[in-house]
Amino acid sequence: VRWEERRFVVQGPKLLGEALNAGVVPDAVYLDAAGSNHTCRTLAERARDHGTEVFELAAGVLARASDEVNPQPVAAVVPMVDVPLVSLAEPIPSVLLVCVAVQDPGNAGTVVRSAAASGVGAVIFCAGAVDIFNPKAVRASAGAVFHVPIVAGPGPAEVLGQLGDWGFTRLATVARGGRDYATVDLGSPTALVLGSETHGLPDSLTDRLDGRVTIPMASSSESLNVAMAATILCFEAARRGRADRPGEAGAGPPR
Amino acid sequence: VRWEERRFVVQGPKLLGEALNAGVVPDAVYLDAAGSNHTCRTLAERARDHGTEVFELAAGVLARASDEVNPQPVAAVVPMVDVPLVSLAEPIPSVLLVCVAVQDPGNAGTVVRSAAASGVGAVIFCAGAVDIFNPKAVRASAGAVFHVPIVAGPGPAEVLGQLGDWGFTRLATVARGGRDYATVDLGSPTALVLGSETHGLPDSLTDRLDGRVTIPMASSSESLNVAMAATILCFEAARRGRADRPGEAGAGPPR
């Protein structure tokens, strides 16, 4: 019901704190009567100050409703934080990521975490990729889903066509045979397109893009997962941004 | 008994294949009578050709002995592949990683995977860090434990003292306040020192090193885990290596 209701669940004080810090007002906060500590209760009070309903549940109820190995003593239902694709048109971000078929929620969350930490402008999860608002992905993002614009849902053809119309250079990230990412121009708006963990990107899609980039590896036996690849690409964009603006503090590609 | 016997377990055809490709001869290979397929049996035969004993176990026995959620139909016991610290003296690697207190096996494995993929010369796990040869760490390394020299066990003081004597510039990686990693000289032998996931590096240790590096982030609310940080640093070293040797193929810092 996540998308029908346009609501998702955040578990634990760290993620709830990130949501509140980002100005997200939960519909409801649930506290475990036995397990919740001062931090959890303070967060619940912060939410209540914005009109959120706070429910105290009998010990263990929250744990049984959780998919976590180590259940958290606080959880919240929050409104979906995705943005429409068209919102990326103005201002155009310098660099964004497009996840075509990333399947693993841990990888998806890490991609978002790297994007937020590096200052990349947005992450698009196409139809066919894992739901970035599932609890495992939200947890892997360390709350970064609240700190970077996320587009969820449109099909790859629609996304890549639209980005092309807006003038993005759309680069397929491929395991081998592409241009060294370190030599690719990232100065004009660039969309870095990531495929699935096991199959990469289909040729039918790659052929319609503007180029291919590869992260060179020490030997052909080595590999990177999609989260590591995204991390490398995001921070290369950030490094270039700093090199272009030597006086400025902070990370981030040019905006 | 892993270190008493100097043996560890690899699970699944992918990891067994990586071990065999690296020239590691297992003591024993165990096949699940029901689950093992042609790939598993072919790997077992390759091992047998090198004198390995192959055991076929009744269906389900191997699964019960495994810690995996999805148990593998083949497993092997292999000799420990770590190298002594002194073996790093000749030739001196250009860049290596020192994990002082990395605790999570998934992170530790990813650090090794990034090191191998980027061509970084070695990874040292100090006493106090997770055992890199535990099954979860080996799995997270995607077999890279067989492809990069790993030193395991000595204390941080011994490791960092020895690296200093050998002329390494020892750089503490810190979440904030260090020099931008992108501007740090990586041309002479450099040891990048990584702390624990939750506490980073203790000041008492950082103060005795030769400098501090930080990966700048878009805002102070963002964070990277130790595996992501190591990935960024390893591939920055590799990128510099390629920039210094523009004619050469492949990744890797200068050797």
Side-chain angles (χ1 to χ4, degrees), chain A residues 18 110 113-114 116-119 147 180-182 215-218 222-225 228 231-232 235-236 239 242 250-251, chain B residues 110 113-114 116-119 147 180-182 215-218 221-225 228 231-232 235-236 239 242 250-251:
Chain A
E18 294 289 344
T110 303
R113 188 174 181 182
S114 282
S118 65
H147 299 302
D180 182 346
Y181 75 100
I215 299 170
M217 277 180 255
E222 306 302 340
S223 67
L224 294 171
N225 72 36
M228 296 158 78
T231 300
I232 294 164
F235 279 84
E236 173 68 1
R239 187 189 69 78
R242 293 197 305 281
Chain B
T110 303
R113 188 174 180 181
S114 282
S118 65
H147 298 303
D180 182 346
Y181 76 99
I215 299 170
M217 276 179 258
S221 73
E222 307 301 341
S223 67
L224 293 171
N225 73 35
M228 295 158 78
T231 300
I232 294 164
F235 279 85
E236 173 67 1
R239 187 189 69 77
R242 292 197 305 281

Side-chain angles (χ1 to χ4, degrees), chain A residues 78-169:
Chain A
V78 300
M80 204 54 87
V81 292
D82 66 314
V83 300
L85 181 59
V86 69
S87 74
L88 304 183
E90 185 56 43
I92 289 269
S94 169
V95 176
L96 57 74
L97 301 179
V98 181
C99 295
V100 167
V102 173
Q103 294 300 314
D104 178 77
N107 284 341
T110 303
V111 167
V112 171
R113 188 174 181 182
S114 282
S118 65
V120 153
V123 185
I124 302 173
F125 288 89
C126 297
V130 68
D131 183 355
I132 184 59
F133 298 109
N134 102 29
K136 280 186 188 160
V138 172
R139 198 183 316 147
S141 85
V145 290
F146 298 111
H147 299 302
V148 64
I150 292 176
V151 175
E158 178 187 346
V159 166
L160 295 166
Q162 184 62 79
L163 294 176
D165 290 347
W166 288 337
F168 278 88
T169 304

